[in-house]
């Protein structure tokens, strides 16, 4: 408590200092409003900080100039023992809720309003204001003579709690109103937390918990975090929560007879509050009749997920204040307003199991199996845990009570675990080291987030992808074997593994959907033709991770024979140019799986053959070590032919132009790649230039 010495006569500060202080405050108010409310700052943060410090210094030197509405006084109060009670001069009402989705909620409300007002179908539509229903907590802000004097929670609607100290820390809430504000005004609105601020808060909480801090926890949702922040006895903690505010109504206000303003409509009130510096959501709109309310409900439903904060519905209010008065209340709910909700996006449920699914490319994904729960408009029974790190970070365990979120079309997610509900001894989840589908080893490579099944050719989950890859025109090439067909064959169990392709008979093929005799015969021919292949194509076709076309060619050239590649040690593999530790490891893992070897043997047994050669020493190659980019249409060579030729000459073909590109081969209608090459000053050649390079004796 500061003591006042009534006898001391401090000499008043020179007028210029008082003016400086007042100018600085006005400037800081203005900049804070631009920054926090309008989100369009006009000065850099450093300049704001400088002005702020200047004001702090002046106030420290002249404490008699300090006022509670100074921008320096947002955080300053001491922790309280408890909150004082506040009796609301005008009760804080709640709103009736319509939960039915789509049109009926808005339609029912309009019908009730029209009936209440005695309107006939011949009368024009009622004008409403449509607003968002913010998911936070209601707050009443009392200003006297333009200064924020009290902030109170709703409580039971009659008596709330005095949380002024905490509310002062909210930068969006003005501490002082402009001169045209009435002597007494209570502004009502919602204190809430933006999703990004909520995420940042929880991230900080997780760090604290990881560092062993006692009594810390993460928050379930932005509303709980906001409510917790408002109810902190220590305003310094509340200040760290980064709360926000939207105004949507009034409590007590100086009546017009005593010089207060007179509003005719709710819309006008909102616009005036905005002009006094209060944040009002941009999505507020006037709506004529039920049709426009329905349109608003739909529009906001679609926009919901892209808003930076949570809403749980929209609110409709009769715009005319005279009509509002005429309609009045029923049991604490005004007849002139309704909340029209959206389906909740978060629900609690329990984890029944954690399964591991194998994707088409062999990726293992942990998935939480949930007790069915209706969330975001659908019944959810599964939620992905993405990968090992994510599953660990969230630490979801079987039996846990979890919060599940489904927003829009986004796949359902486990947001967090309610740790206090965890059953004792629930074991931590670990990724299996074996593929749950085929039993092959599952490995996680360095620097990768995912575990992958190494049983590429054998694994049931990867069948379709493996067959398509094998049949690709740059692999073994089975003309006409596209994804629709492969899908059908695998689903109908006509083929299970690659060798089955060559065991297909006419009858099996012709029995497939939309497969005419002629196409069945054509496919059989294409399969027969594909048996005669080359070692690089076959090797590439096996779909070994990290073994692309160029690597397959290098391996074939280096070892000459498939068996030599299959049996090569890691060291031997590393001797191949183009093969690094990752590729070598991948080859070893692949050929260590007995079923992969078996698939290779069966394919050979089915008649797939290629010419084998002797291990070759590298011939001097004209393009070795060079990277080329091919762009546009070449006069005689196709893109694939040109690529083959470049690779056969030891060069590499890249997809995009960079400083590392040695040559850009440009054909007709070359576009941005050519431009970029010109910008970088690279060597640009045409098809003739390429052919000349290929025949030159050395690179
Ligand atoms: S108006 C007389 N407008 O929803 C009507 N309330 O159940 C008083 N809310 O306690 C409230 N957004 O916390 C109103 N745009 C909005 C709102 C809104 C959220 C909350 C508020 C209120 C509850 C009503």
């Amino acid at each position: 408590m500061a003591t006042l010495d009534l006898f001391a006569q401090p000499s008043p500060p020179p007028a210029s200092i008082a003016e400086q202080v007042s100018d600085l405050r006005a400037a800081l108010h203005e900049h804070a409003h631009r920054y926090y409310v309008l989100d369009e700052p006009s000065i850099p943060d450093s300049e704001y900080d400088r002005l702020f410090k200047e004001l702090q210094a002046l106030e420290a030197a002249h404490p008699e100039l300090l006022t509670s509405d100074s921008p320096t006084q947002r955080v300053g109060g001491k922790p309280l023992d408890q909150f004082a009670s506040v009796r609301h001069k005008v009760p804080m009402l709640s709103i009736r809720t319509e939960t039915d989705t789509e049109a009926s909620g808005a339609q029912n409300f309009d019908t009730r309003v029209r009936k209440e007002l005695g309107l006939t179908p011949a009368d024009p539509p009622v004008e409403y204001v449509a607003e968002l229903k913010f998911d936070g907590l209601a707050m009443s802000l009392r200003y006297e003579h333009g200064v924020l004097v009290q902030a109170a929670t709703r409580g039971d609607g009659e008596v709330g709690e005095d949380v002024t100290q905490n509310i002062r820390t909210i930068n969006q809430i003005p501490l002082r109103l402009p001169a045209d504000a009435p002597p007494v005004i209570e502004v009502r609105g919602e204190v809430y937390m933006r999703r990004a601020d909520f995420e940042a808060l929880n991230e900080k909480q997780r760090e604290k918990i990881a560092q062993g801090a006692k009594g810390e926890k993460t928050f379930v949702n932005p509303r709980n975090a906001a409510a917790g922040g408002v109810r902190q006895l220590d305003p310094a903690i509340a200040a760290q929560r980064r709360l926000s505010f939207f105004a949507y109504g009034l409590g007590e206000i100086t009546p017009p007879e005593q010089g207060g303003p007179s509003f005719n409509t709710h819309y006008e009130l909102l616009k005036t509050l905005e002009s006094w510096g209060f944040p009002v959501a941009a999505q507020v709109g006037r709506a004529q009749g039920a049709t426009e309310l329905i349109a608003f409900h739909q529009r906001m439903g679609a926009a919901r997920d892209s808003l930076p904060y949570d809403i749980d519905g929209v609110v409709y209010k009769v715009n005319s204040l005279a009509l509002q008065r005429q309609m009045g209340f029923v049991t604490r709910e005004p007849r002139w307003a309704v909340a029209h909700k959206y389906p909740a996006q978060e629900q609690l449920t329990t984890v029944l199991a954690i399964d591991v699914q194998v994707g088409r490319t062999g990726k293992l994904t942990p998935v939480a199996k949930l007790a069915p729960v209706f969330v975001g408009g659908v019944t959810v029974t599964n939620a992905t845990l993405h990968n090992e790190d994510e599953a660990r970070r969230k630490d979801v365990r079987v039996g846990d009570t979890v919060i599940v979120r489904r927003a829009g079309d986004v796949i359902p997610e486990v947001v967090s675990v309610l740790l206090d509900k965890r059953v004792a001894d629930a074991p931590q989840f670990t990724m299996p080291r074996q593929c749950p589908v085929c039993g092959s080893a599952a490995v996680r490579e360095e620097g990768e987030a995912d575990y992958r099944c190494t049983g590429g050719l054998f694994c049931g989950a990867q069948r379709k992808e493996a067959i398509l890859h094998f049949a690709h025109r740059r692999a073994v090439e089975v003309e006409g074997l596209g994804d629709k067909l492969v899908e059908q064959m695998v689903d109908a169990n006509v083929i299970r593994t690659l060798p089955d392709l060559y065991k297909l008979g006419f009858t099996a093929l012709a029995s497939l959907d939309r497969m005419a005799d002629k196409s069945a015969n054509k496919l059989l021919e294409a399969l027969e033709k594909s048996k005669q292949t080359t070692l690089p194509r076959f090797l590439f076709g096996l779909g070994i991770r990290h073994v692309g076309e160029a690597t397959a060619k290098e391996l074939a050239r280096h070892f000459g024979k498939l068996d030599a590649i299959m049996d090569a040690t890691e060291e031997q593999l590393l001797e191949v140019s183009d093969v690094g530790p990752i590729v070598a490891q991948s080859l070893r893992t692949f050929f260590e799986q007995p079923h992969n070897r078996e698939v290779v043997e069966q394919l050979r047994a089915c008649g797939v053959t290629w010419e084998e050669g002797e291990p070759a020493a590298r011939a001097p190659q004209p393009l070795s070590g060079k990277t080329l980019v091919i762009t546009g249409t070449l006069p005689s060579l196709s893109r694939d032919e040109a690529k083959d030729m470049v690779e056969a000459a030891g060069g590499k073909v890249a997809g995009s132009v960079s400083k590392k590109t040695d040559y850009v081969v440009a054909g007709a209608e070359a576009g941005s790649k050519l431009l970029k090459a010109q910008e970088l000053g690279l060597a640009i050649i045409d098809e003739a230039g390429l052919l000349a390079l290929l025949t030159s004796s050395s690179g």
Side-chain angles (χ1 to χ4, degrees):
M1 200 54 171
T3 48
L4 266 184
D5 185 348
L6 296 174
F7 301 101
Q9 289 286 314
S11 52
S16 66
I17 301 241
E19 259 169 43
Q20 270 183 50
V21 165
S22 145
D23 288 353
L24 278 168
R25 282 180 194 159
L28 287 166
H29 275 304
E30 166 71 15
H31 292 309
H33 180 248
R34 281 176 166 280
Y35 186 89
Y36 292 107
V37 180
L38 305 179
D39 201 12
E40 40 191 44
S42 55
I43 54 168
D45 294 3
S46 57
E47 179 61 9
Y48 183 89
D49 292 345
R50 196 187 61 76
L51 295 174
F52 194 89
K53 287 202 181 106
E54 200 176 319
L55 176 60
Q56 270 181 325
L58 284 175
E59 287 174 345
H62 304 278
E64 68 282 7
L65 291 177
L66 198 56
T67 57
S68 70
D69 65 345
S70 171
T72 59
Q73 301 305 298
R74 284 204 179 266
V75 194
K78 295 197 175 59
L80 302 172
D81 295 327
Q82 62 175 65
F83 296 115
S85 297
V86 176
R87 177 162 289 276
H88 298 297
K89 298 275 184 344
V90 174
M92 288 181 81
L93 304 168
S94 62
I95 332 182
R96 179 194 162 104
T97 301
E98 290 278 358
T99 43
D100 41 345
T101 49
E102 305 308 311
S104 50
Q107 189 62 64
N108 295 345
F109 173 60
D110 183 54
T111 307
R112 272 201 313 276
V113 169
R114 293 184 72 88
K115 194 168 152 216
E116 206 67 48
L117 294 173
L119 300 177
T120 68
D123 291 308
V126 175
E127 181 167 271
Y128 299 102
V129 171
E131 299 174 17
L132 301 178
K133 188 171 190 304
F134 312 106
D135 204 5
L137 67 155
M139 192 62 57
S140 186
L141 307 173
R142 186 177 175 88
Y143 293 80
E144 290 177 4
H145 305 289
V147 176
L148 175 67
V149 292
Q150 190 174 62
T153 60
R154 178 169 179 274
D156 62 4
E158 299 284 341
V159 178
E161 286 177 318
D162 184 335
V163 289
T164 315
Q165 289 209 92
N166 293 337
I167 294 307
R168 294 173 63 84
T169 68
I170 302 177
N171 286 305
Q172 287 187 335
I173 291 180
L175 297 177
R176 171 159 82 179
L177 302 184
D180 60 334
V184 171
I185 181 171
E186 284 176 12
V187 174
R188 299 214 166 141
E190 198 88 346
V191 170
Y192 67 97
M193 201 171 200
R194 293 171 147 249
R195 276 201 282 270
D197 291 330
F198 170 72
E199 295 301 336
L201 171 69
N202 261 357
E203 190 55 48
K204 243 197 252 158
Q205 291 303 103
R206 275 192 289 269
E207 270 166 33
K208 284 191 202 164
I209 295 166
Q211 285 160 9
K214 288 274 169 291
E216 297 288 352
K217 56 165 195 158
T218 55
F219 297 91
V220 164
N221 57 37
R223 178 164 39 81
N224 283 19
V230 165
R231 299 200 74 266
Q232 282 293 331
L233 290 165
D234 181 356
I237 299 180
Q240 292 165 6
R241 289 284 159 97
R242 292 190 163 274
L243 303 174
S244 298
F245 180 77
F246 274 127
Y248 52 62
L250 274 191
E252 195 190 5
I253 182 163
T254 311
E257 314 82 81
Q258 290 170 29
S262 88
F263 301 109
N264 291 319
T265 64
H266 180 67
Y267 191 74
E268 193 188 331
L269 162 70
L270 292 179
K271 288 291 148 188
T272 310
L273 292 179
E274 198 169 19
S275 79
W276 288 338
F278 291 95
V280 173
Q283 288 78 3
V284 167
R286 276 168 294 191
Q288 314 298 326
T291 329
E292 291 189 16
L293 292 180
I294 294 165
F296 184 82
H297 183 261
Q298 282 172 353
R299 217 169 46 243
M300 292 307 130
R304 184 182 187 191
D305 299 324
S306 46
L307 292 172
Y309 45 82
D310 285 351
I311 58 168
D312 55 352
V314 290
V315 177
Y316 313 133
K317 298 172 183 170
V318 170
N319 193 19
S320 156
L321 299 183
L323 292 183
Q324 285 191 5
R325 277 188 290 272
Q326 187 183 326
M327 296 180 75
F329 308 87
V330 250
T331 61
R332 322 216 64 74
E333 292 175 349
R335 288 199 181 90
W336 44 264
V338 79
H340 193 183
K341 291 252 206 160
Y342 293 119
Q345 291 177 317
E346 290 186 359
Q347 290 291 356
L348 287 181
T349 188
T350 47
V351 178
L352 305 176
I354 300 177
D355 284 0
V356 174
Q357 293 178 353
V358 188
R360 283 166 67 93
T361 58
K363 181 184 152 186
L364 269 57
T365 307
V367 176
K369 297 277 158 189
L370 307 168
V373 60
F374 190 72
V375 51
V378 298
T379 299
V380 169
T381 52
N382 286 327
T384 175
L385 299 173
H386 300 289
N387 55 46
E388 184 181 46
D389 293 347
E390 267 296 291
R392 286 252 174 91
R393 192 176 71 78
K394 290 189 175 150
D395 190 19
V396 179
R397 304 184 187 188
V398 175
D400 275 351
T401 301
V402 293
I403 298 167
V404 182
R405 180 179 174 90
R406 180 183 179 269
D409 294 332
V410 181
I411 49 170
E413 276 227 281
V414 171
V415 181
S416 57
V417 175
L418 302 194
L419 288 178
D420 46 348
K421 297 231 166 102
R422 173 164 288 166
V423 284
D425 305 330
Q428 211 181 355
F429 168 77
T430 46
M431 275 302 262
R433 298 297 190 268
Q434 278 180 334
C435 171
V437 173
C438 72
S440 305
V443 295
R444 178 177 175 180
E445 287 172 8
E446 219 180 287
E448 300 250 335
D450 298 316
Y451 272 85
R452 280 177 192 279
C453 164
T454 54
L457 296 177
F458 173 77
C459 181
Q462 299 172 70
R463 231 165 252 166
K464 291 176 188 170
E465 206 71 350
I467 293 167
L468 269 177
H469 181 78
F470 185 77
H472 191 269
R473 90 194 141 78
R474 297 196 65 93
V476 167
E477 187 171 29
V478 183
E479 225 177 301
L481 189 60
D483 44 2
K484 291 265 153 52
L485 200 51
V486 169
E487 183 129 7
Q488 237 198 99
M489 289 173 161
V490 172
D491 290 346
N493 240 338
V494 173
I495 38 179
R496 295 170 53 83
T497 69
L498 276 183
D500 290 345
L501 264 183
Y502 294 103
K503 295 173 194 157
L504 283 172
F506 178 82
T507 345
L509 272 182
S511 74
L512 292 172
D513 245 15
R514 273 171 311 196
M515 177 66 87
D517 290 2
K518 201 169 148 203
S519 11
N521 274 323
K522 258 187 126 170
L523 187 61
L524 286 173
E525 263 170 45
L527 279 163
E528 201 50 43
K529 192 171 152 207
S530 73
K531 286 185 185 169
Q532 195 60 51
T533 187
T534 66
L535 180 52
R537 277 174 174 271
F538 183 80
L539 200 52
F540 173 56
L542 292 178
I544 305 165
R545 209 163 139 69
H546 303 300
V547 178
E549 267 184 280
T551 308
K553 281 179 191 163
E554 266 312 298
L555 286 164
R557 195 193 56 74
H558 185 97
F559 289 101
K561 296 182 170 56
L562 181 63
D563 288 330
I565 299 171
M566 298 210 300
D567 296 334
T569 63
E570 209 165 315
E571 277 137 48
Q572 289 168 330
L573 288 167
L574 284 169
E575 284 168 19
V576 182
S577 72
D578 223 35
V579 171
I582 292 178
V583 181
Q585 181 58 53
S586 177
L587 280 158
R588 284 310 316 140
T589 327
F590 185 90
F591 287 119
E592 268 163 17
Q593 306 290 318
H595 24 257
N596 286 338
R597 285 177 171 261
E598 194 170 321
V599 168
V600 170
E601 283 330 307
Q602 285 183 21
L603 283 169
R604 286 207 262 217
C606 289
V608 179
T609 79
W610 55 86
E611 241 174 72
E612 299 228 306
E614 289 307 311
R618 177 179 282 277
Q621 287 192 299
L623 287 182
S624 80
K626 302 283 184 214
T627 301
L628 287 80
V629 171
I630 307 172
T631 178
T633 314
L634 302 180
S636 65
L637 293 175
S638 75
R639 199 67 81 78
D640 281 345
E641 285 167 338
K643 185 171 184 232
D644 281 341
M645 290 166 84
V646 168
E647 285 174 355
K652 271 196 199 149
V653 175
S656 61
V657 174
S658 75
K659 276 188 290 192
K660 290 185 189 140
T661 310
D662 294 293
Y663 296 100
V664 172
V665 186
E669 274 155 59
S672 60
K673 289 181 190 170
L674 177 58
L675 281 178
K676 179 140 189 226
Q678 284 163 341
E679 260 169 43
L680 293 173
L682 302 176
I684 299 165
I685 55 175
D686 57 8
E687 185 183 285
L690 173 65
L691 294 172
L693 270 185
L694 291 170
T695 48
S696 65
S697 55
S698 82

